[in-house]
C-alpha cells in the first residue's frame, strides 16, 4: 500500500444521466473535505445536470452511456491516488475523506465501501439495509450504491470496471476479493429509495437477486440486462 495514502488526494467520480434532481445534493456532501476533486462523467443528460454541475465549478466530462464506461473514463481523468465512485443519488457522510484514507491504510486492505442507509421510513427497507450490510461485511461484496473506493494503482492493476451492461460492480468486487481484504466502513452513506419505491421493496429485491443468480449461472450480461429492463417496465 502507498505509504503516503494518509494524505492522498481523493478523486470522486460521479456517473450521470439526467440526474438534475440529485446532483446538487450529491456534490454538496463532498464538501467540506480535504484535498479532493469531483469529476462528473455525463452520458448525454438533457435535463440540466451538466449545467448544474458546471455552475458549482465542478469538472464535467462526456462519455458514452453505460455506468462502467463512464466510471472508467472518470478514472482516466482523475488526478488523485484514491478513486471514490459515487452514484448521483447517494450522499456521503461527514468526514468520509478521513475515513477512506484511514481504511486504506489498514494492512491487507485493497478497497472498501460504506454501510448503506436508504432514505425512506418503510420497515421493509430496514430489512433491505440489514441484508446489504450483512452481505457486505461477511461476504466482502458491497455494491456501487455503497460508494466503492480504492487506490488508482489497484484500479489500474485489475483493469478497471469490466465494461458490462449490468453487474459491473459485482464483478469488480469479485476481482478485488481475490487480491486482498475489502473493508466496510460502519458509517453509512445514504442512498435514494426511488428504485425500491417505484416497483415495491419485495419485487425490487427479488429482481435484484434473480439478476445475481443469472449472472453466476453464466447467462450473458446483455441477456440479463434486456430481461431486467423489460421487467422494470412491466
Amino acid at each position: 500500500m502507498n505509504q503516503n495514502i494518509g494524505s492522498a488526494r481523493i478523486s470522486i467520480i460521479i456517473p450521470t444521466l439526467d440526474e438534475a434532481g440529485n446532483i446538487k445534493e450529491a456534490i454538496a456532501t463532498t464538501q467540506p473535505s480535504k484535498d479532493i476533486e469531483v469529476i462528473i462523467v455525463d452520458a448525454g443528460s438533457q435535463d440540466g445536470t451538466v449545467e448544474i454541475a458546471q455552475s458549482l465549478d465542478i469538472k464535467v466530462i462526456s462519455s458514452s452511456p453505460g455506468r462502467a464506461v463512464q466510471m472508467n473514463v472518470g478514472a482516466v481523468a482523475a488526478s488523485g491516488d484514491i478513486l471514490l465512485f459515487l452514484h448521483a443519488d447517494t450522499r456521503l457522510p461527514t468526514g468520509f475523506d478521513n475515513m477512506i484514507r484511514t481504511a486504506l491504510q489498514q494492512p491487507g486492505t485493497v478497497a472498501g465501501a460504506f454501510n448503506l442507509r436508504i432514505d425512506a421510513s418503510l420497515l421493509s427497507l430496514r430489512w433491505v439495509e440489514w441484508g446489504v450490510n450483512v452481505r457486505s461485511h461477511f461476504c466482502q461484496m458491497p455494491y456501487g450504491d455503497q460508494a466503492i473506493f480504492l487506490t488508482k494503482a489497484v484500479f489500474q492493476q485489475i483493469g478497471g470496471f469490466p465494461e458490462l451492461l449490468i453487474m459491473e460492480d459485482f464483478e469488480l468486487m469479485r476481482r478485488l476479493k481475490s487480491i486482498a481484504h475489502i473493508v466496510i466502513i460502519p458509517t453509512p452513506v445514504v442512498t435514494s429509495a426511488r428504485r425500491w419505491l417505484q416497483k415495491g421493496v419485495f419485487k425490487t429485491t427479488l429482481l435484484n437477486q434473480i439478476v445475481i443468480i443469472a449472472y453466476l449461472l453464466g447467462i450473458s450480461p446483455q441477456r440479463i440486462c434486456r430481461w431486467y429492463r423489460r421487467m422494470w417496465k412491466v
Side-chain angles (χ1 to χ4, degrees), residues 9-15 26 29-31 33 35-41 70-71 74-75 78-88 90-93 95-101 104 111-114 143-152 155 161 172 185 189:
R9 183 175 178 82
I10 300 174
S11 295
I12 303 171
I13 298 163
I14 309 177
T29 64
T30 70
Q31 308 292 334
S33 48
D35 199 9
I36 64 125
E37 70 172 347
V38 179
I39 302 172
I40 304 296
V41 188
Q70 290 170 256
M71 292 188 290
S79 64
D81 290 324
I82 298 172
L83 305 177
L84 168 60
F85 297 97
L86 180 68
H87 289 185
T90 297
R91 313 288 173 252
L92 293 167
F96 73 89
D97 48 336
N98 291 329
M99 295 178 202
I100 288 172
R101 294 186 183 99
L104 288 176
F114 293 81
Y143 296 162
D145 52 7
Q146 292 172 255
I148 295 167
F149 58 85
L150 71 172
T151 65
K152 191 171 186 178
F155 187 76
F161 278 96
L172 182 82
I185 294 174
V189 292

Side-chain angles (χ1 to χ4, degrees), residues 195-206:
R195 58 195 174 101
W196 286 280
L197 298 179
Q198 183 179 348
K199 281 292 181 184
V201 175
F202 176 77
K203 184 172 183 179
T204 302
T205 303
L206 179 62

Side-chain angles (χ1 to χ4, degrees), residues 24-129:
K24 186 174 182 179
E25 191 175 347
I27 292 169
T29 64
T30 70
Q31 308 292 334
S33 48
K34 178 184 175 185
D35 199 9
I36 64 125
E37 70 172 347
V38 179
I39 302 172
I40 304 296
V41 188
D42 191 74
S45 293
Q46 300 295 314
D47 67 345
T49 298
V50 170
E51 291 77 10
I52 292 169
Q54 289 173 334
S55 74
L56 297 169
D57 200 25
I58 298 297
K59 181 177 183 178
V60 179
I61 57 180
S62 297
S63 164
S64 302
R67 187 174 275 159
V69 174
Q70 290 170 256
M71 292 188 290
N72 285 339
V73 168
V76 171
S79 64
D81 290 324
I82 298 172
L83 305 177
L84 168 60
F85 297 97
L86 180 68
H87 289 185
D89 62 353
T90 297
R91 313 288 173 252
L92 293 167
T94 301
F96 73 89
D97 48 336
N98 291 329
M99 295 178 202
I100 288 172
R101 294 186 183 99
T102 299
L104 288 176
Q105 289 180 86
Q106 296 179 20
T109 295
V110 71
F114 293 81
N115 266 356
L116 183 72
R117 190 163 78 241
I118 304 168
D119 68 349
S121 59
L122 292 175
L123 180 61
S124 54
L125 289 174
R126 303 293 79 81
W127 283 103
V128 172
E129 293 170 350

